[in-house]
Amino acid sequence: MEADSWLTSFDCSVSCFQSSEKTSFVLIVIGWLKFIFLSPCPQRILLSSVDLLFLLVLLTLAVKKISSRFIKDENSTSSLDKPLLGDERAHFRVTFWYHVSLVVTALLAITYCVLCILAFSQGVQSTWEMAEAFFRLIHAVTYLAIFVLIVHEKRFASVSHPTTLRVYWGMSYVIVFLFTVTAIIRLFFSAYNVDLSMKMDDIVILVSLPLYFYLLIVAIRGSSGICNTSQHEAAGNSRLETDELILMDPTMSGYGTASLFSKAVWIWMNPLLSKGYQSPLKLDEVPSLPPDFQAERMSEFFQKNWPKPVENVKYPVLITLIRCFWKDVVIISFLAIVQLSVMYVGPTLIQSFITFASGDRTNPHEGYCLVLILFVAKVIEAISSHHFNFQSGILGMKIRSSLITTLYKKGLRLTCSSRQVYGVGQIVNYMAVDSQQLSDMMLQLHSLWMMPLQVGASFLLLYYYMGVSVSASFLLIVGVVIFTVLMTHKNNQFQFQLMMKRDSRMKAINELLGNMRVIKFQAWEERFKEKIQSLRNEEFSWLSKLMLVTSCNLSVLLSLPPVLAALTFGAAIICKVPLDAGTVFTATTVLRIIRDPVRNFPQSLMSLSQAMVSLGRLDGYLTSTELDQTVVGRGEGCSDRIAVEVKDGIFSWEDDGDQISLKDINIEIRKGELAAIVGKVGSGKSTLLASILGELHKLSGEVSVCGSAAYVAQTSWIQNATIQENVLFGSPMNTKRYNDVLRVCSLEKDLKILEHGDQTEIGERGINLSGGQKQRIQLARAVYQDCDIYLLDDIFSAVDAQTGSEIFKECVRGILKDKTIVLVTHQVDFLHNADHILVMRDGKIVQSGKYEELLELRMDFGDLVAAHGNSMELVENSTGENFPQMPRSPHQLTPKSPQKYQEEANGESSSLDQQSKVSSKLIDDEERETGHINFDVYKHYCTEAFGWWGVAAVVIISGICQGSTMLSDYWLAYETSTDHIFNPSLFIEVYSFIAVICCIFVVARSFFVAFLGLKTAQRFFDQILDSILHAPMSFFDTTPSGRILSRASTDQSYVDFLIPLSLSIALMMYFTMAGILFITCQSAWPTIFLIIPLIWLNIWYRRYYIASSRELTRLSSITKAPILHHFSETISGIMTVRCFRKEDKFFQGNVDRVNANQRMDFHSNASNEWLGFRLEFIGSILICIATIFMVLLPSFVIPPEYVGLALSYALPLNGALFWLVFLSCTVENRMVSVERIKQFTRIPSEASWRITNCLPSSGWPYQGDIEIKNLKVRYRSNTPLVLKGISLRINGGEKIGVVGRTGSGKSTLIQVFFRLVEPSAGTIIIDGVDICKLGLHDLRSRFGIIPQEPVLFQGTVRSNIDPLEQYSDDEIWKSLERCQLKDVVAAKSEKLDASVVDSGDNWSVGQRQLLCLGRVMLKNSKILFMDEATASVDSQTDAVIQRIIREDFEACTIITIAHRIPTVIDSDRVLVIDDGWVKEFERPATLLETPSLFASLVQEYSNRSTGL
């Protein structure tokens, strides 16, 4: 046959295929294959044969089944005895896959039934008509049979499709794909006239190809979409029931129960969007996630697919994600292929429209047919593209959910060493940034394989229209791709470095927020500001390089269409290819299509490179060393009498065991014993408790713990929850036991004075409680759990003598008398009550035995007892033998106001009680704007760098870019018009000149926007950092660190990169849309009348959508912070969590927070696609109406070349319409980050750090004279007074001891000296200077303070003891010697550069306190404040330190808060504060001679041992 006419031939005979004798065998074979597989009649015979074969097999199997019922033997076990589809009719669940399969087969059956009826009704006269009619009949019968078969699958609960059906679907797809290829060739490329019936068949095949592809996917999967629950265990049934209950829940998302059509066009979103339009959405109004998307499911699925150790996988996270979500990727790929298939229908129709417009219009049906094809293609493109986005978003959400929960679960299992390697800040970055990047990658992933397909299809079309002239463009595209790949490689390097530097910055900010009180006490804000800004500058350097490379990429890609067009047309002129309107506008449209995949490809490569970096980081973290659960034998080999036993134990904090922490440990503690562990600071007492808990790496030996264990840490760990929730710790309420626990832990008095009692909320890190209150609450938590073994680490250090005695009597030897207790303590008073005492030195147990036995041996224990004896002797000498008769019991001191107990925060300021007057919540809900993003937010961002001039420059450059693009297209229309003489050289010169102008301005815009964005981002960062550092302490007391961290990480990263990019592209889309509407209306002028309703409809839809979308974005930002805060809180108390076996409870807390955040993202994603589909559908209607006008109006009204111009602009109208609205909404949603950062730049500031006209002289304070006049303090203007009128005078050089009950106002007084709290009335005069008139840094830097909780920063010993780098090494060594740490530091190989990890976790609490002391000694201030500075050291070390302080600070004024009476007994005067009043202020001896409050405290202390 000649020239491939067999494509349109109706002939079914072989004779139609002719070959000459000279034709080679290969060509004959190829010709035969073309005829058999691509000619219409053989194709239909082929598919009919497959249909008949399938029906025959199906019939045979059915007959066998039926006949076997009549002839079977009763004892037969043949497989024929079983039903064709199985007969297990237990409970089953029908999924989405089953419903879609049923609908698809029904659609195909109905379609071919209708076509069959049409064929027979029109008559069957020729061979072709006979073949066509019977082909339709057989195919209709086949799919009716398949439909019946699928219906029966549900009846018999068949979980998989029959193999026969799966094979049939596979074969039929291959044949239908051949149908599709020939249909496309016939419809768009064939020069022969195609019969109407064949054309109808071709359209049906093109439309139904996605349906056949879906059935191919189902065949590959094998599953019928029916889950037979009888195959599952009881847990599976329980889950199904749970799912059903969840789906019936009215708060559940409508997606779970929506119909197929509702899901297809997002009708299930209507109720939520309607609610959001009427009023701003609230957190509880957003529906829950469907069961299959919830975090617990994702976590289980991820864990189930995690590679086994034997698999030895190099990239475990990637492999797990592929195993979990490959099916989702396949479905999304199918949607991408459908979208790609219909994308080129529009461009290929341009030539047809121009031909129709310029030719004979007597048959308008041809025009209407073209419009109908265009409309159907556009609708299919809209549905497939938005479901592609939606399913990609869901997949990203699943991945993020899986990763966050897995990261959290890993954090629960990390060893101490691994925890120190990564740090909280870095892991928070994994959760906030890396998981988000992998989630966002899902939208970009498919561009990697779609780009070659799109570019290939585009160049095939171009080749068809323009021949070999497209080779030049192809070479340019190859060059551009190579360039972008190289730039993306650079991008990868910059991105990796950027993330590393961001990790370091976040770690520093996290450390800053965690220790803000100490930083303010020491006036170190500027030092930390320099450190953070230095890290930010390093980060900003890499960010600038990243933006530079991104701008290069954007410049090249946005310049590509005009350059490609100029090159293509130039090559066409050289190759003598005729250029007419149809050719050039088809070419420009296709070239614009090429721009998108080429533009997305490097972006996808960039996302891929970022994702690979993130995967590498996650691999490292998720494969880091976990705690060995077998280190401690629990209940194994336990006798009736042994509770804790360690044999030949050698332990290390390091995973590699390089540094041994404990050695030669042999202990045996019997059930019911009270075992005490004592020793000097750093001897390994707390480490021994950790080894019993299994927290250390065991190098050798055995550890056995018989029974459940409870642990009370030396450093208090309190959750941000109510007091009751902290005590219950997830256990059910037992009112009697709960009340008993509060009583024995001395908490009843505290709760009585709180308006909300045990429902009072505790701030982050227990910020609004004193050290004693925190210690007693965590003791109550342990006692309430009713465990067998109690490990108590120095629980008496933070409480006064009387409270300590009560706790020992009522709790340790009371409610816990039958329990096994291991007590680490420095309180020698309690030791004679111990059944067993272990004495430690240098990580070894050097003595063990009973009190009297060890006392006789002397050695280390003797030294400790002697030191305590000396301090008691000092007390007794001061008091004399007989105390005066006390006027009242110490329990009857003036009742404390509710204010007091709460304001005494670690001796630290708080504001809990002011909150309690109106609410039990201390931490307010996060501030959240509602309604539209205020114009001021846009103004604030856009004008931050260069004011309105910068904005004007970007707008003007963007306008010129769009104008030059439109000008080039007008030039094309003018030159290709039929009434114009074409001048090739002039045409290409002018076109190239316009293209060059366009490229210049594109480059200028890209780099100018990048420069503006970088400058703005840096200013925002400087502003929020400055605002946070100047914020008063009350801000940090009531603001969880997670809120600040989320602004410093996620929000700042948006401002750094995404917002300038989004704003730039949105502005570009506005100009593009204006150009499209202008040219469309100019060409099809009646369309003008549709523009106003179109604009109104779009504005309405945008308002309707953005009302909910904006609030969902805000709620998403708000619900992110609790995830990070909860993780930080968990890690800081991980030893407590693991000891109490509460990992599951805390993991569920993480899951709940992730679900709360993900439901915002899910509905936000759905609302985007809800809007997108509707706008694209409206755009498609507008395109078709405009096209109908072009078809109807005569050619003298709309010239053919302008039809081509209008169509080349109108075809992308629906997409442009959606992207315009979507990008504007995206920008508004992204601007929420600017809004949130702006909130934190408006924090009320504390007083100025320096006041230039009121600087103290360099030697101030000279003497240390202090005069306080009528000092009154309240924390807020509407709260009661804390200090109620204190007046006193302290002479320079005096040593003042401050005592009083917890909550009396002691630490508040110290805070007023440092002006962490400003006086409400009165003055404090120091050496003649009113401190309220000084700048805060001028004031705070002149004082020395050792706070109750020792704080160290990540770095070295040198950077901790001399953070401002003001002193020499000799001075530092001398300071270390005076604070008893020289030997410890000298023993380390790095000496002064010895490592201090985050929070100083690699140093004991006592050593940390000594380092803080050394810091103050080095500073040598004239006035020194000590707030329980030696609470965590032993009596011996305490005595030495007190002696050194007396010697080194002999001429200084020292104000000491202490619970240890020996610490203050030798003070020059003692200040007794009670309920905010000065009750006593006199020499200790004088106070002890009279009935005084101080005398009662001394008596308690001295009688404590004898009374126990």
Side-chain angles (χ1 to χ4, degrees), residues 622-692:
L622 290 174
T623 55
S624 57
T625 311
E626 294 183 4
L627 211 61
D628 185 357
Q629 300 293 335
T630 63
V631 166
V632 178
R634 300 187 181 275
E636 297 171 6
C638 290
S639 66
D640 292 337
R641 62 188 188 87
I642 302 298
V644 178
E645 185 175 22
V646 183
K647 294 180 181 177
D648 302 322
I650 301 177
F651 302 92
S652 171
W653 281 111
E654 303 296 326
D655 295 333
D656 52 17
D658 284 351
Q659 296 180 353
I660 294 175
S661 305
L662 296 175
K663 53 191 172 184
D664 304 329
I665 302 297
N666 287 282
I667 59 175
E668 184 181 283
I669 301 171
R670 299 182 180 184
K671 291 183 178 178
E673 275 191 343
L674 168 58
I677 303 174
V678 296
K680 295 187 71 173
V681 170
S683 58
K685 303 181 295 298
S686 298
T687 304
L688 180 59
L689 290 188
S691 70
I692 294 171

Side-chain angles (χ1 to χ4, degrees), residues 231-280:
Q231 296 175 357
H232 298 187
E233 297 178 355
N237 291 329
S238 174
R239 168 170 290 183
L240 181 59
E241 291 169 10
T242 304
D243 285 357
E244 289 172 354
L245 288 173
I246 290 172
L247 290 171
M248 290 169 63
D249 184 354
T251 64
M252 177 58 56
S253 172
Y255 181 85
T257 54
S259 67
L260 187 63
F261 180 72
S262 176
K263 286 180 178 178
V265 294
W266 292 276
I267 293 173
W268 57 272
M269 276 295 294
N270 287 351
L272 180 66
L273 292 170
S274 175
K275 189 181 292 183
Y277 184 64
Q278 291 164 11
S279 63

Side-chain angles (χ1 to χ4, degrees), residues 889-1025:
S889 161
H891 301 274
Q892 297 168 330
L893 295 179
T894 309
K896 289 165 277 294
S897 71
Q899 184 74 11
K900 283 293 147 292
Y901 266 104
Q902 301 158 135
E903 300 299 359
E904 205 58 28
N906 299 339
E908 297 156 3
S909 141
S910 72
S911 52
L912 182 146
D913 86 307
Q914 291 91 338
Q915 298 285 338
S916 73
K917 295 296 178 186
V918 291
S919 166
S920 62
K921 284 179 69 67
L922 169 75
I923 308 299
D924 293 329
D925 291 333
E926 184 168 358
E927 181 185 352
R928 170 193 160 204
E929 306 285 349
T930 56
H932 288 285
I933 300 290
N934 198 300
F935 175 73
D936 287 343
V937 176
Y938 288 96
K939 178 186 172 186
H940 188 58
Y941 178 82
C942 294
T943 61
E944 184 64 35
F946 295 110
W948 288 110
W949 291 109
V951 178
V954 174
V955 170
I956 290 168
I957 293 171
S958 300
I960 293 172
C961 288
Q962 182 60 34
S964 59
T965 302
M966 292 170 64
L967 185 61
S968 65
D969 289 328
Y970 272 115
W971 178 248
L972 280 178
Y974 172 73
E975 282 292 318
T976 56
S977 62
T978 52
D979 56 351
H980 176 75
I981 300 171
F982 184 67
N983 184 337
S985 59
L986 178 66
F987 164 73
I988 201 66
E989 284 172 7
V990 173
Y991 194 87
S992 300
F993 176 75
I994 296 171
V996 169
I997 296 295
C998 183
C999 293
I1000 290 170
F1001 281 97
V1002 163
V1003 172
R1005 180 180 61 191
S1006 297
F1007 282 94
F1008 187 60
V1009 167
F1011 178 67
L1012 278 175
L1014 287 168
K1015 193 172 180 65
T1016 302
Q1018 192 66 350
R1019 286 201 176 185
F1020 269 51
F1021 180 80
D1022 291 341
Q1023 287 171 9
I1024 193 171
L1025 179 62

